[in-house]
């Protein structure tokens, strides 16, 4: 009988320990979830501030006239005076012509056998 009561007491202790560990694990999980939620909230706030800052910069650029947007007409360059040079746009005469592509199959290189062996038979050079 004492063996049975001792086993029941040991089993009750194990069940209680298991319940305490489960509660502790759930508590740590909730704390971790709260910390990660707080971190992600801060990240979202920082991203929103960055987006607002970039929008503000874009508005300043367009208002002050130094926008880099290419949709507006560009002012004429001092080098665009309408003079065309002869041969502009053609390939220069010294440019090498591309050789025609050879579609024949290529063969793998073969290893040359050692032509002459000296006293050093194990040395390939």
């Amino acid at each position: 009988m004492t063996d049975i009561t001792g086993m029941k007491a040991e089993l009750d202790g194990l069940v209680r320990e298991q319940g305490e560990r489960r509660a502790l694990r759930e508590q740590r999980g909730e704390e971790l979830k709260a910390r990660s939620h707080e971190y992600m909230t801060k990240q979202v706030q920082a991203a929103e501030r960055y987006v607002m800052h970039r929008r503000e910069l874009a508005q300043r650029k367009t208002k002050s006239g130094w926008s880099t947007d290419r949709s507006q007409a560009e002012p004429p360059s001092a080098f665009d005076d309408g003079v065309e040079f002869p041969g502009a746009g053609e390939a220069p005469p010294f440019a090498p012509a591309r050789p025609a592509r050879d579609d024949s199959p290529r063969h793998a290189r073969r290893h040359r056998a050692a032509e002459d062996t000296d006293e050093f038979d194990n040395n390939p050079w």
Side-chain angles (χ1 to χ4, degrees):
M1 280 275 214
T2 58
D3 289 339
I4 294 176
T5 56
M7 293 171 112
K8 282 186 179 182
E10 186 178 348
L11 183 62
D12 288 341
L14 290 173
V15 169
R16 184 175 48 250
E17 182 182 350
Q18 185 179 18
E20 289 172 356
R21 286 184 183 204
R22 183 183 308 122
L24 185 60
R25 188 173 51 245
E26 289 174 358
Q27 180 185 356
R28 286 184 182 164
E30 291 298 320
E31 289 172 0
L32 184 62
K33 190 189 297 185
R35 271 190 271 146
S36 63
H37 180 72
E38 180 182 345
Y39 174 77
M40 292 306 293
T41 302
K42 287 181 181 179
Q43 290 294 316
V44 167
Q45 290 171 350
E48 287 174 348
R49 284 194 305 267
Y50 176 75
V51 167
M52 294 303 290
H53 176 71
R54 295 300 296 177
R55 285 182 183 160
E56 183 181 321
L57 283 178
Q59 288 175 357
R60 280 192 219 163
K61 284 181 186 179
T62 55
K63 287 181 183 176
S64 64
W66 54 278
S67 175
T68 58
D69 187 15
R70 297 285 180 192
S71 63
Q72 300 173 358
E74 293 186 16
S77 171
F79 298 104
D80 292 337
D81 54 1
V83 176
E84 291 273 338
F85 293 100
E90 297 176 13
F94 55 84
R98 284 188 96 172
R101 184 172 178 191
D102 184 21
D103 288 334
S104 62
R106 296 181 182 226
H107 299 288
R109 290 183 144 189
R110 293 184 188 165
H111 180 69
R112 288 189 306 183
E115 297 161 3
D116 215 82
T117 55
D118 291 332
E119 59 195 32
F120 303 107
D121 287 337
N122 64 344
N123 193 348
W125 43 271

